[in-house]
Amino acid sequence: MAADHSNSSTEQSKLSALKMRLPLIGLTGGIGSGKTAVSNLLAQFGAGIIDTDLIAHQITAPNGKAIPRIQEYFGAEFIDAKGALDRTKMRSLVFQNPEAKKALEDITHPLIRQETIKQAYRLADADFPYLVFVVPLLIESGGWNEQIDHLVVVDCPEDLQIQRVMQRSNLSRDEAEAILKTQTSRQTRLAAANTIIENQGKLTELNGPVELLHQKILGIQKARLSSS
Ligand code: ATP
C-alpha cells in the first residue's frame, strides 16, 4: 500500500505550530534505500521518530482504525482471518485500478495524518530535541516542504534498491522494478534534499554520516534559540 500522507490544511497548521517549538525533519528515500536503517540510528542518537509507514501498518492491523471502513467499502474478502488488511490482495487490486487506489487512500490518509500529528505532539511534549518524519512518498505527496526545516534523502543506486527489495520481500525482479517505477525519480529526490545520506556500503558505514546529520540538526535548534 502506498503511504504518501500529504497534509490537509488543519494538519499543516498543527505542524506549523510545532515547528516553532523544535526542528521538524523529513526523511525520505526510494523503496529499500535504507530509511529505516537511518531512522533507527537517529533514534539511538536521541531523535523522536514518527514512521508513517509503521502507522499505515498499525491502522490496517487487526482492530486497526481503518479496518471497518475498508471492510465496508471493499468487502470482507479484503480482510484476512486475523482481522487485518489482506495486503497481497489489496496490492494487486490497487496496482491495476486507480479508483480503488484512491478509495483506499481516502480511507487511510486522514487516519495516518491524525496519528502522525498525535505522535509528533506526544514526542515534542516528551522533550525530544527534534522530530523526524519518515515518509516514503514525501516528494510525491507534496505539502511537506513548508512543514519541515530540513529534508534528508537516503540514497543508493536503483539496482541495489531492487536487490534489497527482492531479498527482503521475496519479490521477483519485475515486481521490484514495477514498484520503483511508481515512485519519483532518484534525480528528483536528490534535487530536493538538504542532506543526502548515501547507503551503498555496509550498514556500519552509516554511523558517521548519521552522527554528523544529528549534530547538524542540533545546530539548527541552537541557531534558532540564539537568534530568538
Ligand atoms: P522501505 O521503503 O521498503 O520500507 P527502507 O528505505 O526503510 O525500505 P530499509 O528497511 O532500511 O529501507 O532497508 C531495506 C532492506 O535492505 C532491509 O532488509 C535492510 O536490512 C537492507 N539494507 C539496508 N541498508 C543496507 C546496507 N547498507 N547493507 C545491507 N543491507 C541493507
Side-chain angles (χ1 to χ4, degrees):
M1 181 179 38
D4 64 4
H5 330 317
S6 52
N7 291 309
S8 75
S9 57
T10 320
E11 273 87 21
Q12 282 184 359
S13 66
K14 285 184 185 157
L15 279 181
S16 300
L18 203 55
K19 196 177 169 191
M20 314 277 275
R21 288 172 56 185
L22 75 176
L24 304 184
I25 310 303
L27 191 155
T28 193
I31 185 163
S33 57
K35 297 177 292 296
T36 306
V38 171
S39 65
N40 285 345
L41 274 176
L42 284 170
Q44 285 175 29
F45 287 116
I49 308 288
I50 299 118
D51 186 331
T52 58
D53 226 19
L54 205 61
I55 295 173
H57 273 79
Q58 283 162 353
I59 64 164
T60 51
N63 298 319
K65 281 188 179 163
I67 294 295
R69 283 178 235 178
I70 290 173
Q71 177 157 347
E72 190 185 343
Y73 186 89
F74 292 95
E77 66 269 30
F78 283 88
I79 308 299
D80 70 16
K82 289 185 179 152
L85 170 67
D86 186 330
R87 279 170 215 290
T88 314
K89 213 176 231 179
M90 185 59 85
R91 200 177 296 125
S92 64
L93 174 70
V94 299
F95 231 88
Q96 34 170 311
N97 184 336
E99 257 177 48
K101 181 168 184 272
K102 174 154 187 336
L104 181 66
E105 289 172 354
D106 285 347
I107 293 170
T108 55
H109 286 184
L111 295 170
I112 293 166
R113 288 197 293 259
Q114 282 167 19
E115 184 60 25
T116 297
I117 300 290
K118 203 163 112 188
Q119 290 190 12
Y121 272 83
R122 205 185 296 142
L123 292 173
D125 290 344
D127 281 341
F128 281 87
Y130 61 90
L131 303 182
V132 178
F133 297 88
V134 185
V135 186
L137 301 182
L138 183 146
I139 310 274
E140 292 85 337
S141 57
W144 274 94
N145 256 1
E146 312 81 57
Q147 307 307 315
I148 54 176
D149 296 279
H150 199 89
L151 178 61
V152 179
V153 170
V154 186
D155 180 62
C156 72
E158 289 181 349
D159 206 53
L160 194 50
Q161 281 179 263
I162 291 168
Q163 283 173 34
R164 285 181 189 156
V165 172
M166 285 169 64
Q167 196 170 7
R168 184 204 48 195
S169 306
N170 212 6
L171 297 180
S172 67
R173 173 165 280 272
D174 281 353
E175 287 169 320
E177 282 177 353
I179 297 173
L180 245 79
K181 276 206 188 108
T182 66
Q183 303 193 337
T184 197
S185 72
R186 189 177 175 196
Q187 289 82 347
T188 305
R189 231 183 263 116
L190 291 176
N194 297 114
T195 294
I196 297 166
I197 300 285
E198 284 189 27
N199 180 29
Q200 46 183 309
K202 290 188 188 137
L203 273 172
T204 49
E205 289 174 34
L206 285 174
N207 293 352
V210 174
E211 182 166 10
L212 274 180
L213 171 64
H214 168 70
Q215 296 299 343
K216 197 194 245 183
I217 301 167
L218 292 182
I220 296 176
Q221 181 68 332
K222 252 192 210 154
R224 279 181 180 198
L225 292 174
S226 62
S227 70
S228 64

